[in-house]
Amino acid sequence: MLKIAIQKSGRLYEDSIKLLKECGIELNNGNKQLKTTANNFPVEIYFLRDDDIPQYVYDGVANVGIVGENVLLEKGKEVDIIYHLGFGKCRLSIAVPKATIYNSVTDLQGLKIATTYSSLLQKFLNEKNVNAEIHEISGSVEIAPGIGLADAICDLVSSGSTLFTNGLKEVEVVLSSEAILCSNKNLSDANKNVLDKLLLRINAVKTAKNNKYILLNAPNEQLKNIAALLPGMKSPTIVPLAEEGWSSVQSVVNENIFWEVIEKLKALGAEGILVVPIEKMIM
Ligand code: PRT
Ligand code: ZN
């Protein structure tokens, strides 16, 4: 049984559950309990505060965990990061009141910075050779400058609207973060085996999301050029159409180069282009 720790509630909860579901893992009986099992995969899911997940994985109470990289690195627990999951994206940033003149990191010298991430902030300041006073607080960091508690803050930012509404501006990024899957360093062979199966599924889900299935009609004289644009997983499938001189081309195209490829395909005379989402993709 592979024990997986996920956040009990909060920003990572929904995406963690969704990922397990997309991996075909059906959890038993709801979520508001401490733990649950799946009826079709040998895992046990522990629902925990995100701050506790690194410790639990380190201790081996859970074998693996889904947690923000920011939390894991702040706690400094020696566990392996095995997958960047692509959700819960944010950055740990330093922000100062809008009116503060800020040119470079040396402007932080001597300031008082409020944060819940004192360890990551201290590391950043050391790397930059800046001496600043870290004031550790447990929450509502963004109001610290407004109430005279600090000159600057170091907190998580995603859209930036919290900083904006509190009259602050982002001046340094300490860390870019997203949810990660981390693992205890000493997994049993049986658990390694389950983890490998889980990783294969996660990979299939994530790769599918980054790719689209594409079907189009191509004039035969351009088939070579069009096929070169669509290498797909091995090579494109090419089938002759009933109409002489035309073929149907089917392949897979990466999201990152998608529009660029579409423009080129059109320029080469491709017609009737259909783009279809892929549910799972196993390379
Ligand atoms: O109860 P528990 O301890 O488990 O949860 P929590 O309240 O400590 O954490 P939670 O659920 O708020 O966040 C969990 C994880 O989500 C974090 O550790 C990050 O890895 C990730 N994440 C992604 C974020 C954000 N984006 C985020 N924007 N965590 C917090 N925020 C907060 C930020 O602290 C600030 O208050 O949102 C505000 C800023 O958001 P914007 O959009 O206004 O910039
Ligand atoms: Zn927390």
Side-chain angles (χ1 to χ4, degrees), residues 7 10-11 49-51 68 70-71 88 90 156 158-162:
Q7 197 188 18
R11 288 169 194 264
R49 290 267 326 260
D50 67 344
D51 316 70
N70 50 301
V71 172
C90 57
L156 299 177
S158 45
S159 69
S161 70
T162 302

Side-chain angles (χ1 to χ4, degrees), residues 2 38 53 56 65-66 90-91 111-112 115 130 136 155 161 177-178 190 195 201 204 221 238-239 247 267:
L2 185 76
I53 291 177
Y56 276 72
I66 296 178
C90 57
R91 46 200 192 274
L111 297 191
K112 193 169 176 182
T115 190
V130 170
E136 183 157 359
D155 198 13
S161 70
S177 178
E178 64 186 87
L195 180 57
R201 294 184 184 198
E221 66 273 13
I238 299 177
V239 191
S247 296

Side-chain angles (χ1 to χ4, degrees), residues 76-95:
K77 296 289 167 205
E78 288 216 4
V79 298
D80 292 330
I81 294 180
I82 46 180
Y83 208 98
H84 284 79
L85 295 167
F87 59 82
K89 287 193 176 170
C90 57
R91 46 200 192 274
L92 180 65
S93 290
I94 298 174

